[in-house]
Amino acid sequence: MNSKFIVIEGLEGAGKTNATAQVVNILRQQGIHDVVFTREPGGTPLAEALRQLIKEGVDDEPVTDRAELLMLYAARVQLVEGIIKPALARGAWVIGDRHDLSSQAYQGGGRGIDVRLLQTLRAAFLGNFRPDLTLYLDIPQDMGLVRARARGKLDRIEIESLAFFDRTRARYQALAAEDERIVTIDATQPLSVVNSAIRTCLTQWLRIQEFSP
Ligand code: T5A
């Protein structure tokens, strides 16, 4: 089987860390051991510096929505060109904690940035590059934020309004419904049930990939 790019998406506290571990277990059981992990924003020294700027800002300077979007894209391009594409080219599998769908949902849905601008950026900077499979962990924002808050201090995006996260979730759900490469997992369930849903979905998908040309 050719190497694949699998992405885990969802609101804060949806359980992406747990899902990543579950995906890796399943891949190992299938004999796939060469796996590279990425997170967005981040994953290279420059992209990690941008992550810090995106999540914390600088002093009290307000960050405009478009500046936030461009920083996210700068980090993404750096990661895709420097890490993800080379890993896939040498035959490794890549597991991403977030990718472009986050921008479509948070910046498109949450911030309300025009979809045409997002499509233009994606076409210009990513071209046809897409994840082979995205597992979208669907959770209402109040439940996810309770989990995220338990970790401690909230960052610049996590302190956004409930309406922001409702719009973000609605965009995630709409995009997942129209793209067969995005599978929605109900992340409100207990961890054991979420893990079993991930196992069922990924095992079936791997079987299909095995027999695809
Ligand atoms: N962003 C990012 C954008 O706005 N646009 C973009 O394009 C991109 C790429 C990134 C921030 O940047 C924004 C989105 C984010 O605000 P981040 O830290 O990478 O920040 O992402 P977060 O979503 O904030 O990371 P979290 O760690 O909060 O989320 P996870 O990884 O989904 O949560 P996880 O797995 O650590 O789980 C949190 C807690 O819940 C428990 C876990 O054990 C853990 O304690 N848990 C469960 N408990 C009960 N039942 C379950 N099913 C559970 N699943 C997990």
Side-chain angles (χ1 to χ4, degrees):
M1 219 188 303
N2 290 335
S3 56
K4 305 285 180 205
F5 179 30
I6 299 175
V7 170
I8 320 287
E9 286 275 0
L11 292 182
E12 359 286 291
K16 295 182 291 300
T17 310
N18 163 71
T20 302
Q22 175 70 350
V23 167
V24 170
N25 280 340
I26 297 163
L27 293 182
R28 287 212 176 109
Q29 284 161 9
Q30 304 281 332
I32 298 161
H33 295 281
D34 191 359
V35 176
V36 170
F37 300 95
T38 62
R39 69 170 181 179
E40 293 195 31
T44 80
L46 177 62
E48 286 292 324
L50 286 162
R51 177 186 177 89
Q52 173 72 18
L53 289 174
I54 293 161
K55 284 176 78 98
E56 307 301 335
V58 178
D59 300 330
D60 291 330
E61 181 179 349
V63 180
T64 67
D65 294 349
R66 288 182 172 216
E68 178 183 82
L69 177 64
L70 290 174
M71 287 193 282
L72 285 159
Y73 258 93
R76 181 163 303 134
V77 170
Q78 199 70 11
L79 179 69
V80 168
E81 298 302 330
I83 304 285
I84 299 180
K85 284 186 177 173
L88 293 170
R90 73 173 165 78
W93 286 52
V94 179
I95 314 294
D97 181 339
R98 300 188 180 280
H99 184 58
D100 190 61
L101 189 62
S102 283
S103 294
Q104 309 300 322
Y106 281 80
Q107 281 62 50
R111 301 279 189 229
I113 290 181
D114 193 323
V115 170
R116 284 165 303 183
L117 174 58
L118 290 167
Q119 285 170 346
T120 303
L121 275 178
R122 182 163 71 182
F125 294 128
L126 298 177
N128 291 327
F129 182 76
R130 295 268 190 292
D132 296 290
L133 173 69
T134 297
L135 299 177
Y136 162 56
L137 303 173
D138 185 48
I139 191 171
Q141 36 75 24
D142 50 353
M143 199 166 174
L145 282 179
V146 166
R147 292 182 191 167
R149 279 198 190 105
R151 271 187 332 225
K153 189 174 167 278
L154 299 180
D155 64 34
R156 198 180 58 81
I157 297 175
E158 286 165 343
I159 58 169
E160 275 296 338
S161 66
L162 296 185
F164 169 88
F165 288 107
D166 278 343
R167 290 193 299 274
T168 304
R169 184 187 185 204
R171 186 63 61 87
Y172 262 133
Q173 290 173 328
L175 292 167
E178 68 189 31
D179 187 341
E180 61 180 14
R181 287 167 299 185
I182 305 173
V183 176
T184 300
I185 308 272
D186 178 359
T188 62
Q189 308 171 96
L191 265 182
S192 59
V193 182
V194 171
N195 281 342
S196 139
I198 292 173
R199 175 170 294 278
T200 304
C201 151
L202 188 56
T203 311
Q204 278 172 3
W205 183 80
L206 286 168
R207 210 167 290 142
I208 294 167
Q209 301 311 304
E210 216 174 335
F211 295 108
S212 301

